[in-house]
């Protein structure tokens, strides 16, 4: 209980600080944007319903039906009112109202362990929703406080990997509108996919009266909390902006996805609007954690986790949002955080500390090499390309090997005792 209280106070303080920072630049922060969605059209209706579904894991089955029906009913009323006044149409207010209503119910109508469990469910739901608003505030801050970007450094280092964003961009264009729409939907609805996996992991919470020690939502939120800090240290806008038409007159030239750049690395001035949200690729990091956590599910869930990872990689590269170097850093970033959180949940030991330190060291080495060795990497692609991939594989292998040791041993099936032969 004390840990949850400390986490709540820390989160609130962090949100208040972001609110103040956003208002310093003349825009509303995460708290204001979230409060607006109580009445005004939400930014993402699917995310609000996914968050409500996450909260409902703590409810008995009958109450789940009541909560879902109430959310749909409220949204129908909002729909009719918006249609009548010709306002922006979007669903999701009902889901937010239900989550807030259960927060009130937990405080006023529940006691003891039942209250604590319901508050945890409400807290997870609100954290997932507020995390989206927090990310928006972070992106605003990166664009306002980092006037130059390091895209020429990463683009040069990416020559060692064969310029995968340029290749993927041409492939996506060749697939036409159908391929683009599928990848775009996967890219946008990543949080919804995470909730689907989390719902499977948390399916027994109501019956057991407790949450598991570790689940996907923990890793998802920590990645979103720590990732933007790296954006501030290593600001990158992505190839479609730095080398494509989306960058306008700030772009080096209209090169993506046809012609990889050959200019020397330099600090590149860029606008104060485009987020510096490339290094590492958090979409890759989140998709990696979805893949990892789906491995213990049924076949359909495992298939979905694999598909979401592959499609996310295709979208991040094929839409020009990321370089190949970002993808490698995103995988290492995700597995390092996942390993640390799993280790924290089970109690730190030597293998856990070694795994976390190894991931941190590899991630730091990647950033330093992108910043200080890009020209050498581009000049010797057959050396540095395999080295980058081996660095990522070393973290993947270390994670698999170490976490397998943490799995409970399966007792062998008892062998039948020999029976005496009949005389």
């Amino acid at each position: 209980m004390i840990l949850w209280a400390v986490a709540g106070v820390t989160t609130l303080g962090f949100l208040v600080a972001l609110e103040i920072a956003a208002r310093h630049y003349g825009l509303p922060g995460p708290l204001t944007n979230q409060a607006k969605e109580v009445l005004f059209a939400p930014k993402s209706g699917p995310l609000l319903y996914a968050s409500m579904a996450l909260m409902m894991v703590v409810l008995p089955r009958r109450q789940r039906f009541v909560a879902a029906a109430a959310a749909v009913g409220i949204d129908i009323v909002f729909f009719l009112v918006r249609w009548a006044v010709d306002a922006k149409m979007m669903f999701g207010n009902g889901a937010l109202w239900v989550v807030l209503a259960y927060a009130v119910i937990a405080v006023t109508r529940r006691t003891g362990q039942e209250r604590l469990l319901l508050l945890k469910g409400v807290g997870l739901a609100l954290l997932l929703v507020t995390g989206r608003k927090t990310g928006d505030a972070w992106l605003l801050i990166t664009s306002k406080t980092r006037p130059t970007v390091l895209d020429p450094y990463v683009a040069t280092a990416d020559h060692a990997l064969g310029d995968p964003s340029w290749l993927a961009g041409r492939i996506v264009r060749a697939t036409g509108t159908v391929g683009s729409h599928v990848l775009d939907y996967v890219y946008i609805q990543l949080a919804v996919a995470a909730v689907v996996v989390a719902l499977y992991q948390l399916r027994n919470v109501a019956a057991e009266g407790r949450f598991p020690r570790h689940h996907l939502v923990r890793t998802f939120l920590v990645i979103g909390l720590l990732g933007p800090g790296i954006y501030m240290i290593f600001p990158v806008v992505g190839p479609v902006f730095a080398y494509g038409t989306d960058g306008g007159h700030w772009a080096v030239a209209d090169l993506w996805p046809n012609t990889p750049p050959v200019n020397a690395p330099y600090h590149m001035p860029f606008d104060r609007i485009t987020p510096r949200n490339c290094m590492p690729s958090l979409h890759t990091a989140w998709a990696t954690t979805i893949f990892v956590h789906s491995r213990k599910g049924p076949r359909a869930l495992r298939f979905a986790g694999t598909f979401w990872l592959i499609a996310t990689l295709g979208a991040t590269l094929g839409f020009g949002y990321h370089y190949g170097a970002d993808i490698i850093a995103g995988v290492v970033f995700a597995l390092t955080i996942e390993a640390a959180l799993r280790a924290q949940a089970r109690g730190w030991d030597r293998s856990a500390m070694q795994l976390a330190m190894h991931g941190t060291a590899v991630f730091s080495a990647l950033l330093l090499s992108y910043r200080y060795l890009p020209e050498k990497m581009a000049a010797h692609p057959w050396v540095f390309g395999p080295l980058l991939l081996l660095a990522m594989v070393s973290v993947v292998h270390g994670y698999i090997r170490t976490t397998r040791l943490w799995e409970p041993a399966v007792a062998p099936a008892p062998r039948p005792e020999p029976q005496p032969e009949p005389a």
Side-chain angles (χ1 to χ4, degrees):
M1 182 64 181
I2 296 177
L3 180 62
W4 277 86
V6 172
V9 172
T10 303
T11 302
L12 180 60
F14 177 69
L15 291 174
V16 171
L18 277 181
E19 182 76 25
I20 295 172
R23 288 187 173 277
H24 174 72
Y25 295 106
L27 292 173
L31 295 176
T32 302
N33 284 328
Q34 189 59 65
K36 286 181 178 179
E37 293 190 349
V38 175
L39 295 176
F40 297 97
K43 184 174 182 179
S44 175
L47 179 61
L48 287 171
Y49 269 90
S51 299
M52 183 187 71
L54 189 63
M55 181 271 297
M56 290 196 299
V57 299
V58 305
L59 302 179
R61 180 172 299 180
R62 181 177 176 276
Q63 290 188 30
R64 294 175 187 175
F65 286 113
V66 173
V72 173
I74 293 170
D75 266 325
I76 291 175
V77 174
F78 270 94
F79 178 87
L80 294 175
V81 172
R82 287 177 181 140
W83 177 74
V85 300
D86 196 25
K88 179 183 177 182
M89 305 301 290
M90 176 54 74
F91 64 94
N93 301 87
L96 181 58
W97 277 43
V98 167
V99 171
L100 295 176
Y102 270 100
V104 175
I105 291 172
V107 174
T108 61
R109 305 292 296 274
R110 299 289 187 269
T111 58
Q113 185 63 28
E114 189 178 3
R115 171 189 287 176
L116 179 60
L117 186 65
L118 185 52
L119 285 176
K120 286 181 179 180
V122 171
L124 280 179
L126 292 178
L127 278 175
L128 187 63
V129 174
T130 308
R132 175 71 173 267
K133 309 301 180 187
T134 300
D136 293 341
W138 262 119
L139 298 184
L140 167 69
I141 293 172
T142 62
S143 64
K144 299 296 184 182
T145 60
R146 294 296 180 266
T148 61
V149 297
L150 302 179
D151 283 77
Y153 289 86
V154 184
T156 303
D158 229 35
H159 293 331
L161 297 170
D163 302 298
S165 180
W166 272 255
L167 175 61
R170 294 194 295 271
I171 293 174
V172 170
R173 284 191 177 182
T175 63
T177 57
V178 175
S180 296
H181 286 320
V182 171
L183 293 180
D184 185 59
Y185 182 83
V186 169
Y187 192 83
I188 293 175
Q189 301 300 342
L190 188 66
V192 178
V195 170
V196 172
V197 177
L199 288 176
Y200 175 79
Q201 292 182 321
L202 304 177
R203 65 194 183 280
N204 296 323
V205 169
E208 298 177 355
R210 62 180 180 83
F211 280 84
R213 293 176 64 87
H214 180 59
H215 50 83
L216 172 61
V217 181
R218 297 177 78 229
T219 309
F220 213 79
L221 292 173
V222 173
I223 287 175
L225 178 66
L226 299 181
I230 311 299
Y231 293 163
M232 301 290 287
I233 299 172
F234 209 111
V236 181
V237 293
V240 74
F241 297 103
Y243 300 100
T245 55
D246 288 14
H249 70 274
W250 294 95
V252 174
D254 185 9
L255 301 175
W256 187 89
N258 299 314
T259 308
V262 293
N263 57 303
Y266 68 101
H267 283 68
M268 177 181 175
F270 214 77
D271 64 34
R272 298 298 183 94
I273 301 174
T274 306
R276 281 63 164 147
N277 62 338
C278 277
M279 182 63 71
S281 169
L282 293 195
H283 266 78
T284 298
W286 284 319
T288 300
T289 60
I290 291 173
F291 173 81
V292 169
H293 282 265
S294 66
R295 295 306 89 194
K296 296 294 181 66
R299 178 178 297 179
L301 196 66
R302 297 197 302 271
F303 174 80
T306 303
F307 167 77
W308 224 270
L309 175 60
I310 295 173
T312 300
L313 294 177
T316 55
L317 291 172
F319 291 148
Y321 297 148
H322 289 281
Y323 304 89
D326 308 337
I327 303 300
I328 291 177
V331 172
V332 173
F333 188 69
L335 292 181
T336 301
I337 292 176
E338 172 68 18
L341 290 176
R342 287 196 63 179
Q344 181 270 331
R346 68 179 298 276
W348 288 95
D349 57 20
R350 183 177 179 181
S351 64
M353 295 183 65
Q354 288 177 339
L355 178 58
M357 292 173 62
H358 175 65
T360 302
V362 170
F363 183 73
S364 301
L366 289 174
L367 295 187
L368 290 172
S369 65
Y370 299 157
R371 174 62 178 83
Y372 295 106
L373 299 174
E375 291 180 294
K376 289 186 178 180
M377 295 169 69
H380 305 284
W382 292 106
V383 175
F384 285 96
L387 282 177
L388 291 175
L389 295 175
L390 283 174
M392 180 185 71
V393 169
S394 73
V395 176
V396 174
H397 177 263
Y399 176 83
I400 294 174
R401 182 188 60 189
T402 305
T403 53
R404 279 181 177 172
L405 296 176
W406 297 345
E407 299 296 332
V410 179
R415 300 178 61 182
E417 296 182 2
Q419 300 294 327
E421 296 183 1

